[in-house]
């Protein structure tokens, strides 16, 4: 899978956080402009808070970003972030941060579960962010290869592992104790590393066959 476009928007740093849930019904001229295409949006505020939005629409004006699951930007479905309160906004087209998951399992529950784990557990930690940077760097060619060979045995093996990771992410989210969540988090990080290594081996093998 490939990225159609990606942009990192640097905003002026300021105090406070993005406003949550305070969008009023605004006429289009006040809402700002957008291209009407679904995106993945990562918002980092000046105080270090991180908000991640998948499968959303984005509009922006001179003073703020608006993120909504609804293409009409209805008030109940829209969140506003004042640019003066942000340090960075990352905008990605077509789930580019989940290359291998999208290529093997497609969009759906597994993708949503693993994206949630990434946002809740991996992005807040230095180690997790480092692993994500490695993944984002090496996974596009791997994903492209397995996407071309969906029925090959190596692809089926990677798909099986990805789906197991999705199930484990769901189990972690539903765990009722901190110990249960922590143990599943550790297991998922280990499987994350194993999965990337396995996918890289599958990529090499399939490229040889091609």
């Amino acid at each position: 899978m490939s990225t159609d476009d990606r942009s990192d928007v640097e905003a002026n740093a300021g105090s406070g956080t993005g406003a949550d849930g305070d969008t009023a019904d605004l006429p289009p001229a006040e809402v700002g402009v957008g291209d009407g295409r679904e995106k993945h949006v990562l918002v980092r505020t000046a105080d270090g808070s991180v908000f991640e939005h998948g499968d959303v629409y984005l509009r922006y004006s001179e003073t703020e970003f608006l993120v909504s699951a609804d293409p009409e930007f209805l008030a109940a479905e829209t969140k506003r972030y004042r640019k003066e309160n942000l340090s960075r906004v990352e905008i990605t087209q077509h789930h580019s941060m989940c290359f291998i998951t999208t290529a093997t399992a497609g969009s759906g529950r597994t993708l949503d579960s693993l994206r949630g784990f990434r946002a809740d557990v991996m992005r807040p930690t230095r180690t997790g962010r480092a692993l994500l940077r490695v993944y984002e760097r090496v996974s596009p060619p791997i994903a492209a290869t397995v996407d071309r060979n969906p029925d090959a045995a190596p692809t089926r093996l990677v798909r099986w592992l990805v789906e197991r990771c999705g199930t484990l992410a769901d189990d972690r989210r539903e765990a009722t104790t901190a110990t249960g969540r922590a143990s599943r988090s550790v297991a998922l990080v280990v499987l994350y590393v194993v999965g990337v290594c396995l996918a890289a081996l599958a990529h090499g093998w399939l490229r040889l066959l091609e």
Side-chain angles (χ1 to χ4, degrees):
M1 304 295 286
S2 61
T3 307
D4 287 347
D5 57 65
R6 173 174 177 164
S7 60
D8 293 344
V9 182
E10 297 288 352
N12 293 327
S15 60
T17 62
D20 292 343
D22 62 350
T23 303
D25 288 316
L26 300 175
E30 293 183 57
V31 168
V33 296
D35 62 7
R37 301 164 66 195
E38 285 189 331
K39 303 181 186 303
H40 179 277
V41 180
L42 182 73
V43 178
R44 188 179 302 277
T45 64
D47 68 357
S49 299
V50 177
F51 302 92
E52 189 167 1
H53 305 277
D55 299 320
V56 294
Y57 300 90
L58 177 74
R59 288 182 180 175
Y60 60 93
S61 67
E62 186 175 335
T63 59
E64 62 186 357
F65 291 97
L66 293 94
V67 180
S68 179
D70 187 285
E72 300 299 323
F73 287 79
L74 299 177
E77 300 293 333
T78 302
K79 297 183 74 172
R80 295 169 66 171
Y81 296 94
R82 300 278 304 174
K83 290 183 178 181
E84 64 187 11
N85 295 331
L86 306 180
S87 64
R88 191 177 188 86
V89 176
E90 297 178 10
I91 304 164
T92 309
Q93 199 76 43
H94 290 331
H95 315 303
S96 65
M97 293 184 183
C98 296
F99 295 105
I100 296 173
T101 301
T102 305
T104 56
S107 59
R109 181 173 179 177
T110 297
L111 180 64
D112 292 340
S113 298
L114 292 178
R115 181 183 290 134
F117 175 75
R118 185 186 68 218
D120 295 342
V121 177
M122 299 192 73
R123 279 204 179 277
T125 68
R126 181 176 300 177
T127 300
R129 289 192 295 272
L131 289 173
L132 288 175
R133 284 195 294 271
V134 172
Y135 174 82
E136 291 163 16
R137 186 174 298 116
V138 306
S139 61
I142 296 173
T145 299
V146 299
D147 192 47
R148 290 195 305 271
N149 299 273
D151 298 322
T155 300
R156 294 199 302 270
L157 179 58
V158 174
R159 182 182 301 119
W160 178 85
L161 182 58
V162 167
E163 291 173 346
R164 299 291 78 74
C165 287
T167 299
L168 186 56
D170 290 336
D171 290 343
R172 177 201 166 276
R173 187 180 63 251
E174 296 168 1
T176 58
T177 65
T179 301
R181 288 191 295 273
S183 62
R184 288 166 175 81
S185 294
V186 171
L188 264 170
V189 171
V190 172
L191 286 177
Y192 180 91
V193 175
V194 171
V196 172
C197 293
L198 180 62
L201 291 173
H203 164 71
W205 175 252
L206 291 170
R207 290 293 292 156
L208 286 174
L209 294 179
E210 291 177 342

